Amino acid sequence: MAKRSTLFIRIVEGKNLPIKDITGSSDPYCIVKIDNEAIIRTATIWKTLSPFWGEEYTVHLPPYFRTVSFYVLDEDSLSRDDVIGKVSISKEVLTAKPQGVDGWMNLTEIDPDEEVQGEIHLQISVLGDRDIPRKLCCQVLEARDLAKKDRNGASDPFVRVRYNGKTYESAVVKKSCYPRWNESFEFELDETLADSLLSVEVWDWDLVSRNDFLGKVLFNINKLQSAQQEEGWFRLGPDKSKHSEYEGTLGSLRLQLRLRDEVVLPSSHYKPLTELLSQSVGSQLNGNWPDFIVLIDETTTAESRQEVANNLVKLFLGQGLVKEFLDVLFKLELEKTTEPNTLFRSNSLASKSMESFLKVAGMQYLHRLLGPIINRIFEEKKYVELDPSKVELKEAGCAGLHRQQTESDIIQQSSSLLQSYLSELLTSILQSASYCPLLICQVFHQLYLRVQERFPDQEYRKVKFIAVTSFLCLRFISPAIMSPKLFHLREKHADARTSRTLLLLAKAVQTIGNMDTLACCSKEPWMVPLQPAIQQGITQLKDFITKLVNCHESEDLELQTRMSLQCGTMEKEGFLFLHRTKDKCMPMTSPFKKYYVTLSKDTLSYSRTQHSKKSSSISLPKIRAVEKVEEKCFGNANVMQIISSEDSGQQETLYLDCKSVNELNHWLSALRKACSHNTNTMSCYHPGIYKADRWSCCHQKEKSDPGCDKTRHGVTLQEWYDPLDPDLEAQLIYQHLSSVQHAMRDKYFKLREQQGVQEADSARDQKKADGLPKLFSILQDLHDAHAAVEEEERLKNKNVFLELQT
C-alpha cells in the first residue's frame, strides 16, 4: 500500500506588480517552496507588471508537508534579485477545499520573523514529587534545517529559554544551520500559575547588527505535568503575525491549486475494475456496445474531463487497449456529429483523451520533430511581422547603413523568413513518418477510416484528413510551437519578439491543418503573402497523412521497431558538473568536471562526451540517498549529492552541480523515483561536506556520523517521461466512478428508455443490465478495502498515543 499527497499547481498570471526597474517595469518570476524548500522556478517574463506564465506542475509530496508558498521576485542581471512579495497557502486550506483553490490572491510583504523554518530537538521534563519543590528541566539537544541569515549561507544560532520571568541562553554555534548544543536549563516550577508557558526561541547571533529571529516553540506546562516528560523534534514557528502596510499594494497572483491524498492499494484490489473496463472496450470487437465507456462519457463534467481522460488513457495504455478505447470514443463522437465542420472541435472526452494520448505517447516524437526549428527561431531572434497595424520600425532596425526600413520592406522580409521556417517545418513533418511511434500511426489509421465511413460522400473527401490534422496540428504541434516551454522544448519562455514569430508560424500551421486558405485570409488578410506556401503545405500534409495512416502495413520490422511506443521509460540525460569522493577530504579548489550523465533503468553513468565510452557508473539499487547540498559548501544553491554503498560497505558520495533550481529538482526527482524501491535507504544525512576534519553542517568530527538532517525521499515532480503506474490510474478512476455512480445509474436507464429497450426484453439485454450492478459491487469492494486501511491506520495511531501516555 502506498500513501502520498499530490499537489496540482498552475501559476497563471500576475497583475499590478510594483515597479522595480528604472525602465518603469519589472522582470518577474516565481519561486515555489514546499515548507521553505524551493522546488520550482518559473520562467522570467521580461518588462511587464502583468506577467502571464501559464505554467503547470504536479508535485508528489509526503503527507506531512505544511505549506506551499509562492515568492515573486524581480530578476536583475547586475545585482541581487529583488523580492516583491509572497502568497502562502496552508495544507489545511487546501484540504478543506477538495475541489481546489482558484482565484486571485494578494501578495504580502515578506516579514523576516515569519520566514522561519526547521526543527529543534528538545526534552522537557518535570523533576521531583509533590512533597518537595519541583523543577522544570529543558534539555536543548540540537536543531536542523534552520533559516540562513548570514551572507556565508549559514547562521550562528543560539537558544533562549524563558519561563516565569526567567531567561537562559545557550552557547552560540558558529556558521551552522544544524547546531548541536546538548545543554540543560532548570527552572523552579511555579504550580500556582493558571497559564504556565515555556518558550524556547532560536536566534541568529550577530556581532554588529540586531540578532535575527529563527523561530520558537511554546509548551503548556500545566498539560505537561500529567505526562511528566515530552521529548522529540518540534517544528519552529513564527514570532507573531503582523498586519502589513503593503497588503494589497504589491499586486496579486492568479493561482490554481488542488491537493489530493492518495492511498493506493495492492494491485489485486484493482484487478476486477481493470478487467471490467477492459472487457467493456474489448466488447466492441464482438459487436457489443461498450456501455461503461458511454456512461463515463455522459456523466463526466467539463471540470473533470481532462483528468478523467488522462487516467483512462494511461490505464488502457498499460492494458494494451488504448487503440480500442480511442476507437470507441471516435465512434461515439461520430454518432453525435451531423455537421462535419464541427467534428472533434469541442472539448469532449474523445478530444481530451486523444490530446492526452498524443502527449503521453508522442512527446519524444514531438521533440525530434520541432526541436531544430524551435531552436533556430530562438537563436536567430529575427523581427517578424505581417500585420501592418503592428509593424514597429524601431524594432526592425535599419536596412543598411543610412536607410531606414519601410513597412513594405519589413513585411516582405517577414514573409520570406516565415516561408523559410514553414518550409523547414513541413520538410521535418514529411520525414517524420519514418520515426512516428507505430501506435500513433495505428490510432490515426482508425480515426481516418471511421471518419471515411461516417462521411463517405465526395463532397466530404477532405473531412478524414481534417480529422487527423485537428489533433496532430491544432491540438499538438501548433500549441507546442506557441508555448515551447510548456511542452519541454525550451527551458524558458520566449521574449516578445520570438513569441510573435512563434505565433505567426503556429497560425500558418493551423491554417494548413484546417485545409482552408480562403477562410484564414478573409479573417486576416495580412496572411495573404503566405498563401502560396500554405497551399503547398496543404498538399504536402495530405501526402504525409496518407503515408502516416498506412505505416501500420509496413513489413519493415526495423522501421516498426523504431516506431514503437516511446513512453514510460525512466531515462534522463544531459551535461552536469560532477565530483566523486570516497574517504578523501574536499579539495580547496573547485573539484567539479563536466560530464555527460545518463540515468537509465538500472544505472547512473557518466562520460566525457555524449557518445564516448562511459567513465563510471553507479548501480541504482546501491543508492542510499539523493539530497541537496548546503549553498555555503560550494557557493551554489543548486548542488545535489548521491550517497551510495559499495559491496565492501564503503560509502561513496557523488556531487552534481546543476545550473538552475529546476534542473536540480528534475534530477533529484528522477533519481528518487528510480530508487523508490530501494530497501537500504538512509533516514538521515549530512547536507554539508566533510572538510578540514569535520562536517561543515553540524561540525561533527566523525566522518561516520549518521547525519544531522532527515532525508526527503517523498518529494518528487511528475514528468512527461515517467513510467506508467497502473495501480495509481486504477485508483484515480475508482475515485471518479464512485463520485458519479448515481448519475451513471440514472443515465443508464434513461439511455435504455431512449433506445426503446426494456430491461428484461431478452437474456442478452438482461446480461448487459447486470453489468452495472457488477461495477457497483466492485466499487463497494474497493470502498470497503479503503475503509479497512483507514481503520487500521486509526488503531495504529491510537496505540502510539496510548504508548506515549504510559
Side-chain angles (χ1 to χ4, degrees), residues 4 6 8 58-60 314 669 673 716-720 722 728:
R4 70 179 181 187
T6 297
F8 298 94
T58 300
V59 187
H60 300 303
K314 290 180 180 179
S669 180
K673 284 183 280 192
T716 58
L717 297 170
Q718 184 169 304
E719 301 282 1
W720 62 267
D722 284 350
L728 173 61

Side-chain angles (χ1 to χ4, degrees), residues 330-340 342-344 446-457 460 463-464:
F330 294 156
K331 291 195 289 184
L332 284 173
E333 186 83 0
L334 286 163
E335 280 197 353
K336 298 175 187 176
T337 304
T338 56
E339 177 55 51
T342 63
L343 185 60
F344 298 116
Q446 285 183 164
L447 174 62
Y448 185 89
L449 290 182
R450 294 297 180 198
V451 175
Q452 190 175 44
E453 291 170 4
R454 177 68 178 82
F455 299 103
D457 297 341
Y460 300 131
V463 176
K464 56 183 179 289

Side-chain angles (χ1 to χ4, degrees), residues 778-792:
I778 291 171
L779 297 180
Q780 184 61 47
D781 289 343
L782 284 167
H783 177 271
D784 294 343
H786 278 281
V789 168
E790 290 175 7
E791 180 64 16
E792 183 181 344

Side-chain angles (χ1 to χ4, degrees), residues 4 42 63 97 275 323 371 431 493 496 519 553 682 738 804:
R4 70 179 181 187
T42 70
K97 296 185 177 181
E275 287 180 347
K323 185 172 62 172
Q431 294 172 350
H493 285 300
E553 299 174 355
M682 299 166 63
S738 295
L804 289 173

